[in-house]
Amino acid sequence: MSFENESDLLGAISRAPGYSVTGSIIFYEGREVARSYRKHALYRMLTQHGVNYRDHLSKMLLPDDAIYVIVNNTLFIVEMKFQKIRGSVDEKLQTCDFKKKQYRKLLAPLNFEVEYIYILNDWFRHPQYKDVLDYVISVGCQYYFHYLPLQKLGLPVPSETAGEELPMAA
């Protein structure tokens, strides 16, 4: 099973102290703080807000997950990449700048900010990925290995677990 299927961002969030998830709605201490839009769910949300993606993009982009954080009006595109051997995922990391710009165009009618984050497995720690990982940072995207810090999403961090990270299965 791929990392994308094994890694459940909503499951990780729901296991964090004070958090619960109902459907795609994320709650902290009973208060809605975010919403998740996986794959086609992002386009259903856009349609509900009167946005036709074809007016902004020539091709639909399907995020592994997209977390809209209410307090900072930001949609975090979260892509999970797992690799065991050389392959096409190698080059996919180099597309974050283009995709972030495409998502910005798509979400401009809603005035959402957009951030683009990769969650990677240890394959990408190999020295041959240094340049690509440097590039990811240089174009304003982010990456983490096996986890995603709550504070990077702008979600509340429980005081007893300051600096809480969302561990992702690998």
Side-chain angles (χ1 to χ4, degrees), residues 61 92 95-104 116:
L61 299 170
K92 289 179 182 177
T95 65
C96 66
D97 184 44
F98 173 76
K99 288 181 180 175
K100 184 175 178 180
K101 288 174 180 171
Q102 291 295 91
Y103 280 113
R104 282 183 172 162
Y116 202 94

Side-chain angles (χ1 to χ4, degrees), residues 117-158:
I117 300 172
Y118 286 117
I119 298 175
L120 307 172
N121 74 325
D122 289 333
W123 174 264
F124 296 100
R125 292 185 191 269
H126 287 116
Q128 66 261 32
Y129 290 100
K130 182 188 181 321
D131 291 337
V132 120
L133 294 176
D134 287 349
Y135 172 76
V136 167
I137 297 301
S138 77
V139 295
C141 299
Q142 303 167 51
Y143 67 88
Y144 299 92
F145 292 100
H146 300 288
Y147 75 94
L148 181 58
L150 285 171
Q151 67 268 22
K152 283 295 179 183
L153 296 176
L155 291 173
V157 178

Side-chain angles (χ1 to χ4, degrees), residues 13-69:
I13 290 171
S14 70
R15 289 186 297 275
Y19 280 88
S20 62
V21 176
T22 302
S24 63
I25 303 173
I26 301 164
F27 297 91
Y28 178 70
E29 296 181 347
R31 179 177 47 94
E32 181 180 347
V33 293
R35 291 188 176 234
S36 169
Y37 301 103
R38 292 180 179 158
K39 307 281 183 189
H40 292 282
L42 176 63
Y43 294 91
R44 286 190 293 275
M45 179 272 292
L46 289 167
T47 300
Q48 291 170 352
H49 286 89
V51 177
N52 181 345
Y53 85 89
R54 289 179 186 93
D55 293 340
H56 305 279
L57 301 180
S58 58
K59 183 179 178 186
M60 189 181 283
L61 299 170
L62 297 173
D64 289 340
D65 212 324
I67 304 291
Y68 174 69
V69 178

